[in-house]
Amino acid sequence: MFGGVLTVVANADAGVRDGRMEAQEQQGWYRLATRILDRVPTATEGAVSDAINSLKDAAPIIAQAKMGTPGIGSAGWDSGYQTLSEACSNAGAELALEMFTGG
């Protein structure tokens, strides 16, 4: 399920980078990503769950129709993402996303 968060973020970033969307739209996609992230289930303990919870702390949910600045891309987000990537790798699983934006 975290792959959905990565997919939303990566495609929004590509859209801005390639000039197909403005930062305002990217922030809307990021707000959606916080709602997806909030639904990622975690266990009570374990490195992967701890890392996901760290990301939830760095980018707390922004409710639909609410404005706010998502924590995605912050130092806390970047650190949590690195920790999650390492935890998943150590558990024998790789993070994956799907790129679908185009020119």
Side-chain angles (χ1 to χ4, degrees), residues 6-44:
L6 292 180
T7 294
V8 168
V9 170
N11 282 281
D13 290 349
V16 169
R17 181 190 64 236
D18 297 343
R20 293 188 311 272
M21 78 172 66
E22 299 295 323
Q24 178 184 2
E25 184 178 353
Q26 178 192 39
Q27 293 299 301
W29 284 108
Y30 281 5
R31 288 189 294 275
L32 173 62
T34 68
R35 294 190 294 276
I36 298 167
L37 176 61
D38 186 63
R39 293 177 180 209
V40 174
T42 57
T44 55

Side-chain angles (χ1 to χ4, degrees), residues 34 37-38 49-61 69-72 74-77 80:
T34 68
L37 176 61
D38 186 63
S49 289
D50 291 347
I52 296 260
N53 287 327
S54 174
L55 288 167
K56 289 180 179 184
D57 289 342
I61 186 171
T69 303
I72 295 171
S74 68
W77 175 267

